[in-house]
Amino acid sequence: MFSLFSNPIDLAHQYWERVVRPGDLVIDATCGNGKDTLKLAQLTGEEGSVIGIDLQQEALVKTRTLLEESLSPSHLARIHLIQQSHAAFPPKVEKNTVKLIVYNLGYLPGGNKNVTTQAGTTLESVTKYFTLLSPGGVISVTCYPGHEEGAREEKSLSQLFSTLSPAIWSVCHHRWVNRLSSPSLFILQKSNN
Ligand SMILES: C[S@@+](CC[C@H](N)C(=O)[O-])C[C@H]1O[C@@H](n2cnc3c(N)ncnc32)[C@H](O)[C@@H]1O
């Protein structure tokens, strides 16, 4: 119905397409059903690497199933799925090496709504993962303020991001002003130098 973009995921994907190149290292910090992980794998190609993180085994099983249906075995070998909280660093990722880090907050679609991302751990993760980004690297965060914890997360992230130095960070918040409580998208880019 709308040819430009119809939701924050479409918009996020357009940013990812602009920044990610074959061979890049990227992180999906909330794998969920794996749709974003698959998109990232397609962008980084067989020369790149994707680290996919989720707290829940159920999410990682769904993600692996989707990837197996869509990618060759050699490509699949470039995707590393880790069951842990994104509040911790993923193992073996060096600082200043990651081109894109993606958060799609909230709960697993079709899963347990009580296992949702939380403002405290989301902020802890984003703050830690800042250090992993390469120069010119991007963080993409989709927020869901339509539920209580999602509204808290969006507010806390907005407060944190508004304190970042404009010499080092370009931060933009996209929201649909004519759709009450609809999801929103933060895009942050770290300076190239
Ligand atoms: C909205 S879903 C992600 C959707 C997904 N990107 C997709 O394309 O289907 C949010 C996911 O975050 C996960 N999650 C919640 N808290 C987390 C945490 N602290 N660390 C890592 N993952 C977490 C949930 O288990 C859930 O699968």
Side-chain angles (χ1 to χ4, degrees):
M1 193 153 92
F2 300 102
S3 61
L4 198 50
F5 47 76
S6 54
N7 60 53
I9 304 298
D10 277 358
L11 187 58
H13 286 190
Q14 290 182 38
Y15 279 109
W16 304 355
E17 285 162 12
R18 287 188 62 188
V19 75
V20 178
R21 294 287 168 266
D24 283 340
L25 168 62
V26 303
I27 295 177
D28 184 348
T30 51
C31 284
N33 287 325
K35 290 186 192 156
D36 291 331
T37 319
L38 176 60
K39 175 74 181 175
L40 294 171
Q42 288 162 340
L43 291 174
T44 52
E46 294 202 20
E47 316 94 280
S49 287
V50 181
I51 296 171
I53 298 172
D54 204 289
L55 207 50
Q56 298 188 80
Q57 189 184 19
E58 182 189 351
L60 294 178
V61 169
K62 287 185 171 176
T63 297
R64 178 157 296 282
T65 304
L66 181 67
L67 296 174
E68 281 171 355
E69 286 165 5
S70 318
L71 303 176
S72 67
S74 56
H75 197 167
L76 201 57
R78 308 292 303 178
I79 324 289
H80 309 282
L81 299 181
I82 306 169
Q83 188 181 354
Q84 65 162 66
S85 170
H86 49 221
F89 280 116
K92 297 185 204 155
V93 180
E94 292 184 16
K95 293 191 174 164
N96 306 313
T97 59
V98 183
K99 181 61 84 61
L100 173 68
I101 302 173
V102 168
Y103 296 81
N104 189 345
L105 301 177
Y107 45 82
L108 180 65
N112 181 353
K113 291 190 178 177
N114 293 322
V115 187
T116 186
T117 55
Q118 304 281 325
T121 39
T122 301
L123 252 68
E124 189 180 347
S125 176
V126 168
T127 309
K128 281 184 176 164
Y129 287 19
F130 280 161
T131 62
L132 300 179
L133 275 188
S134 62
V138 166
I139 294 186
S140 164
V141 189
T142 305
C143 299
Y144 295 83
H147 67 108
E148 203 177 320
E149 189 56 31
R152 222 184 333 266
E153 279 180 301
E154 186 189 62
K155 193 172 170 196
S156 309
L157 287 166
S158 182
Q159 283 167 348
L160 169 70
F161 295 158
S162 62
T163 65
L164 295 176
S165 161
I168 303 173
W169 292 99
S170 174
V171 187
C172 200
H173 190 187
H174 301 270
R175 56 170 71 243
W176 271 250
V177 296
N178 62 344
R179 291 183 199 159
L180 206 58
S181 300
S182 66
S184 72
L185 173 70
F186 288 101
I187 293 287
L188 294 79
Q189 185 169 34
K190 192 173 171 182
S191 154
N192 262 316
N193 39 46

